[in-house]
Amino acid sequence: MGVSSDNVHGLVLALSSSLFIGSSFIAKKKGLKRSGRSGVRAGLGGFSYLYEPLWWLGMITMIVGEIANFAAYAFAPAVLVTPLGALSIIVSAVLAHFILKERLHIFGVVGCVLCVVGSVAIVLHAPQERAIESVKQVWYLAIEPGFLVYTSVVLCISLVLMFRYAPRYGQTHLLIYVGICSLMGSLTVMSVKALAIAMKLTFSGSNQFVYFQTWFFTVVVVSCCLLQLNYLNKALDTFNTAVISPVYYVMFTTFTIFASMIMFKDWDSQKASQIVTQLCGFVTILSGTFLLHRSIDMAQNNVPNEPEITSETNLNSV
């Protein structure tokens, strides 16, 4: 990885984003719990959380984090920025332990550390960003056969999950809601990167908003974000926050880097050893996620008399 000023700016923005986003999970979960006591829960299709100030605090915090994340993509490649979301796992899990009383076992701490170690391995061996001088270049990359096939597959799977499996198994299988968010998230990031590049070039004097491609990417970003927000709320209201965060991170990061590899051909200029190291980083992250998931189960089994945890245990039969 280079040490250019752009990379430094991208890293700082990505780290700040993770801190804000990790905190937002907690505020939104508290707001969802409060709204569920007086109205229809989000997990059952209700929208009473829109009247809860704490939920809006979490929403604003998440927006700030997403803006920082958006800016990071204008300076650094997706393969470098996306894995840094591991920090949000640490923030979310630790705050959930102290604020939401969602107990984090010692194995959960080890799991968080493994997630960070895996992310560091990916970051240190991330490919260099290719030079982009116009949003049209991103558009030509997006309409190449390989990425069009990927987009078609993602849309088909997401539609099947939304209309066939979510109504039947969404309340009992975590991967349904998180899978929809992660799949659509990979398309969101590609569009976000295109839009961030367009804005960066515009601010530098080359107006990119005269091209329809910039507006197309804008529409995709807004549409996908609204869809992700809806299903993320359902997941947060139904399952344990300390489990949602790492699972969502792993799936989202995997799909995003895979999409970036296809669209921007990130691995074409890398050696086999660098690619293998990045794959090892993913295995490390997956191991950390497994430990964190198991630690939550162990903590819940140790405190069966707490009504809040017992109810979530019944829902969290993935």
Side-chain angles (χ1 to χ4, degrees), residues 7-55:
N7 277 341
V8 173
H9 292 154
L11 286 173
V12 171
L13 287 167
L15 290 173
S16 301
S17 169
S18 295
L19 290 173
F20 281 112
I21 292 175
S23 302
S24 73
F25 275 101
I26 307 304
K28 290 174 68 177
K29 182 65 179 278
K30 291 280 287 185
L32 288 168
K33 284 187 173 183
R34 287 186 181 180
S35 65
R37 298 191 188 106
S38 57
V40 180
R41 294 176 52 188
L44 299 176
F47 295 94
S48 58
Y49 58 85
L50 294 175
Y51 300 97
E52 176 56 51
L54 195 56
W55 183 87

Side-chain angles (χ1 to χ4, degrees), residues 168-188:
R168 300 180 182 180
Y169 308 110
Q171 293 291 308
T172 56
H173 291 73
L174 172 67
L175 295 181
I176 301 296
Y177 292 148
V178 175
I180 295 171
C181 292
S182 302
L183 286 167
M184 297 306 297
S186 66
L187 299 182
T188 304

Side-chain angles (χ1 to χ4, degrees), residues 196-218:
I197 291 173
M199 294 184 68
K200 179 183 177 183
L201 292 172
T202 299
F203 290 142
S204 66
S206 177
N207 187 8
Q208 300 296 302
F209 286 88
V210 298
Y211 304 120
F212 84 90
Q213 290 92 341
T214 302
W215 295 105
F216 176 84
F217 287 126
T218 301

Side-chain angles (χ1 to χ4, degrees), residues 85-136:
L87 181 59
S88 66
I89 297 177
I90 310 300
V91 175
S92 179
V94 171
L95 291 180
H97 175 80
F98 291 105
I99 298 177
L100 301 180
K101 307 304 180 184
E102 295 177 357
R103 306 301 172 81
L104 186 64
H105 193 270
I106 184 62
F107 287 160
V109 177
V110 176
C112 290
V113 173
L114 287 176
C115 287
V116 174
V117 171
S119 296
V120 170
I122 294 174
V123 169
L124 291 179
H125 295 84
Q128 292 293 327
E129 173 84 322
R130 67 159 59 196
I132 302 290
E133 299 179 356
S134 171
V135 72
K136 286 187 175 182

Side-chain angles (χ1 to χ4, degrees), residues 121-241:
I122 294 174
V123 169
L124 291 179
H125 295 84
Q128 292 293 327
E129 173 84 322
R130 67 159 59 196
I132 302 290
E133 299 179 356
S134 171
V135 72
K136 286 187 175 182
Q137 288 181 253
V138 183
W139 175 260
Y140 294 141
L141 293 173
I143 61 176
E144 288 187 355
F147 191 72
L148 287 178
V149 170
Y150 174 81
T151 302
S152 300
V153 171
V154 166
L155 291 176
C156 288
I157 295 176
S158 298
L159 289 173
V160 170
L161 289 175
M162 284 187 283
F163 294 105
R164 180 176 178 81
Y165 291 101
R168 300 180 182 180
Y169 308 110
Q171 293 291 308
T172 56
H173 291 73
L174 172 67
L175 295 181
I176 301 296
Y177 292 148
V178 175
I180 295 171
C181 292
S182 302
L183 286 167
M184 297 306 297
S186 66
L187 299 182
T188 304
V189 169
M190 297 302 101
S191 298
V192 163
K193 185 165 182 64
L195 187 56
I197 291 173
M199 294 184 68
K200 179 183 177 183
L201 292 172
T202 299
F203 290 142
S204 66
S206 177
N207 187 8
Q208 300 296 302
F209 286 88
V210 298
Y211 304 120
F212 84 90
Q213 290 92 341
T214 302
W215 295 105
F216 176 84
F217 287 126
T218 301
V219 171
V220 173
V221 169
V222 173
S223 302
C224 291
C225 283
L226 291 175
L227 184 64
Q228 287 176 254
L229 177 62
N230 180 47
Y231 283 97
L232 184 58
N233 280 331
K234 291 177 182 291
L236 283 172
D237 189 51
T238 307
F239 301 101
N240 193 307
T241 306

